[in-house]
Amino acid sequence: MMDASVLRPAARRFALLRAAPALGIGAALVALALTLSNDFYLYVAFMAGVYYICASGMNVLAGYAGQKSLGQAGLFAAGAYTVALLTTRLELPPALALAAAPLVAAAVGVLIALPSLRVKGPSLALVTLAFGLVVEKLVTEWTDLFGGAQGIYGIAPLTLGDEPFALKHWVVLVIVLGVAVHLALSHLLNGRFGRALLALQSDEIAAECAGISVYRYKTLAFVLAAALCGLGGALVAQQNQYFNSDFVTFHLSVFILLLVLLGGAGNIYGPIAGAAILTMTEVFLAQWPSVQHFIYGAMLLFALYLMPTGVAGAIARVLPRRMAVLDGVETPPLTAMQRGRAEPSAGPLLEVTDVSKAFGGVVTADKVGLRLHAHRIHALIGPNGAGKSTLINILTGVISADSGTIRLAGQDITRGTAHARAARGIARTFQNLRLFGSMTVLDNVLIGAHARIGVTGREEDAVAKAKAVLDFVGLGEHAGALAGSLPYGLQRRVELARALAGDPVLLLLDEPAAGLNPRETAELGQLIKRIGQLGVAVLMVEHDMGLVMRISDEIVVLDRGVVIAEGAPRDIQTNPRVIEAYLGREDSPAPDGPESDKEERPC
């Protein structure tokens, strides 16, 4: 494995290049704000900055994690009422109250996320909408605490010396905070965290099996969105020195979501475009308040159906895609796996004992036992409906076993989650492709290394390893291509590369040759043999018997959820129970069950 230190200077230069435009534009905007004396223009600039901060958090939640929320007005209110109550009731310093506001909003966000993220899609939007309506009703009716429509007056603003901030000072502050938010999110979302959110938005099962804790990352996205929305509310409350229930409306929640959708969900620059366009639209529509809702609704439909990637996405499509971190990097061939992973010196790597699973009255696994060894290729075969894919799902934690035990390198993982098993070194591919098609090939492979990046803490190491894996499977020249744009056979290899990127000790392949032509199947067989030589234990579910017999060291046969045979390929080919399971028998019943089907069952 190459020394990733050759990547670090390039990565640092790339990060500085990314930060330079934001810092330059921020400095120019501060200089412009200090020269303005028109309060109207300054207030418009201030609100544009507040909207950007709120939209940046919402972009993490809706654009990257794919979780649409209609309760952001409640979180905006959480931040605003925090500074209001802390400065008027407890008389805390304004700066301390401002710092506390996003923390309180984040805590409220956790309380909402825990139940809300158990549901998806429209159900999630309805749950968050209910939260927003509850908050609106609460602050309206609980007048003793929140002041209702009358509101809370005398909110202490930030001061410069002994004087309260002038409007231009608020504009400068919101610009500084906006640049800081942009740089922080740019660093966060252009790395491991952002890839994880995009992966779970695309395919939660594939993301979980790559080592990503889906629920944890959704919760983190919700907390970030809540904290930034709370910060926006706190800034508005302190600048106005007044806040009431009129600010907390469903209209505000829709407006914040529209900022993201129109600007470009899932694009780091989307909130900037959305804040600029919608702030000017709001100023323009101020003279016709009766048509505001109609115009915003029309813009939302336009964003959803005619410009799904938003303004920033439309611009990004015409810009060249660059892989700056990989420029000029020479990667030596992959020669070893399992760095830093425990492997028993003797005995099986994976030991499955009496594992059973039933769906209603259908038993798909009946006291299954397996022993898999490192450096060996095991095949799992059987007729259609034998329970092969169910067993793969049990081993990877996608579904849980009803009974039995599973041990990896001597450790019990029976109750482990899919992402925890991936972190321990169990990787897999899927019967039906589960690629993250809108992401690059390199990013797909980096997602496979998600758990390993968490251990090493170095993105550069993961990029070097991902490049080595791509070269190993013959995809080095496709690193920058979108995974969904490749031919089907290459997409199969991308999924295999993603599985290898996590340094697995056990690789589970669910029908890897499905849909491949004979040449591609032969090449796949050679690749799987090379993977076994790296020290990985391979368990392959496959219907292509030619491939199975050519490359397998040991074959396990399932029929109706029961292991009926195991051994070397030549022994399996002549085993009477295997022949009976595949072809059926007309002259006698099965040795230990009812009469077999008389018609041929396909392999």
Side-chain angles (χ1 to χ4, degrees), residues 368-370 372 377-383 386-393 395 508-512 538-545 548 552 554-559 562-566 582 603:
V368 172
L370 285 177
L372 306 181
I377 299 172
H378 307 76
L380 181 63
I381 66 173
K388 303 182 296 296
S389 291
T390 297
L391 184 57
I392 293 291
N393 286 332
L395 295 180
L508 307 175
L509 306 176
D510 196 351
E511 298 193 28
V538 178
L539 178 62
M540 174 180 64
V541 172
E542 186 52 64
H543 285 293
D544 187 324
M545 288 299 102
V548 168
S552 300
E554 184 176 346
I555 298 175
V556 178
V557 186
L558 271 183
D559 186 30
V562 177
V563 175
I564 62 171
E566 54 185 314
Y582 274 105
C603 171

Side-chain angles (χ1 to χ4, degrees), residues 320-323 326 435-446 467 470 475-487 490-491 494:
R321 184 182 300 275
R322 295 191 67 237
M323 305 291 290
L326 290 179
L435 285 183
F436 310 116
S438 60
M439 301 173 69
T440 66
V441 170
L442 179 65
D443 280 337
N444 269 265
V445 178
L446 285 170
K467 185 65 168 61
L470 287 173
L475 292 175
E477 63 185 23
H478 300 288
L482 293 179
S485 68
L486 297 180
L490 295 185
Q491 289 188 37
V494 174

Side-chain angles (χ1 to χ4, degrees), residues 454-501:
V455 173
T456 65
R458 290 178 178 173
E459 178 83 0
E460 308 91 82
D461 292 351
V463 172
K465 178 60 179 289
K467 185 65 168 61
V469 170
L470 287 173
D471 290 343
F472 179 79
V473 300
L475 292 175
E477 63 185 23
H478 300 288
L482 293 179
S485 68
L486 297 180
Y488 181 81
L490 295 185
Q491 289 188 37
R492 279 284 181 189
R493 291 200 176 205
V494 174
E495 193 176 46
L496 183 57
R498 185 179 69 196
L500 290 176

Side-chain angles (χ1 to χ4, degrees), residues 240-280:
N240 285 335
Q241 301 180 44
Y242 164 73
F243 198 83
N244 73 348
S245 59
D246 291 342
F247 287 90
V248 189
T249 63
F250 175 63
H251 165 79
L252 178 60
S253 293
V254 173
F255 186 82
I256 292 173
L257 180 60
L258 182 57
L259 285 167
V260 173
L261 296 179
L262 183 65
N267 188 306
I268 193 68
Y269 300 103
I272 299 174
I277 294 171
L278 285 178
T279 301
M280 298 309 298

Side-chain angles (χ1 to χ4, degrees), residues 217-418:
Y217 273 83
K218 283 183 178 180
T219 302
L220 288 173
F222 212 110
V223 168
L224 266 176
L228 290 175
C229 206
L231 176 60
L235 288 168
V236 169
Q238 283 194 312
Q239 190 276 324
N240 285 335
Q241 301 180 44
Y242 164 73
F243 198 83
N244 73 348
S245 59
D246 291 342
F247 287 90
V248 189
T249 63
F250 175 63
H251 165 79
L252 178 60
S253 293
V254 173
F255 186 82
I256 292 173
L257 180 60
L258 182 57
L259 285 167
V260 173
L261 296 179
L262 183 65
N267 188 306
I268 193 68
Y269 300 103
I272 299 174
I277 294 171
L278 285 178
T279 301
M280 298 309 298
T281 302
E282 187 177 46
V283 171
F284 178 74
L285 293 177
Q287 52 190 320
W288 298 297
S290 60
V291 301
Q292 278 187 342
H293 294 289
F294 173 79
I295 296 297
Y296 288 143
M299 294 177 74
L300 182 59
L301 291 174
F302 174 80
L304 289 173
Y305 293 104
L306 298 181
M307 194 182 288
T309 59
V311 174
I315 295 173
R317 282 201 301 269
V318 302
L319 298 177
R321 184 182 300 275
R322 295 191 67 237
M323 305 291 290
V325 176
L326 290 179
D327 289 348
V329 173
E330 294 293 334
T331 308
L334 191 69
T335 57
M337 305 290 281
Q338 306 173 183
R339 289 184 297 120
R341 295 196 185 278
E343 181 185 337
S345 56
L349 174 70
L350 184 81
E351 195 165 11
V352 179
T353 306
D354 294 334
V355 163
S356 298
K357 182 67 181 179
F359 296 94
V362 180
V363 178
T364 55
D366 186 6
K367 295 184 177 179
V368 172
L370 285 177
R371 293 163 65 89
L372 306 181
H373 295 79
H375 301 273
R376 295 180 66 82
I377 299 172
H378 307 76
L380 181 63
I381 66 173
N384 289 333
K388 303 182 296 296
S389 291
T390 297
L391 184 57
I392 293 291
N393 286 332
I394 291 173
L395 295 180
T396 54
V398 173
I399 59 177
S400 58
D402 295 335
S403 61
T405 59
I406 304 171
R407 293 183 177 277
L408 180 70
Q411 296 183 331
D412 192 338
I413 62 168
T414 309
R415 301 303 170 198
T417 60

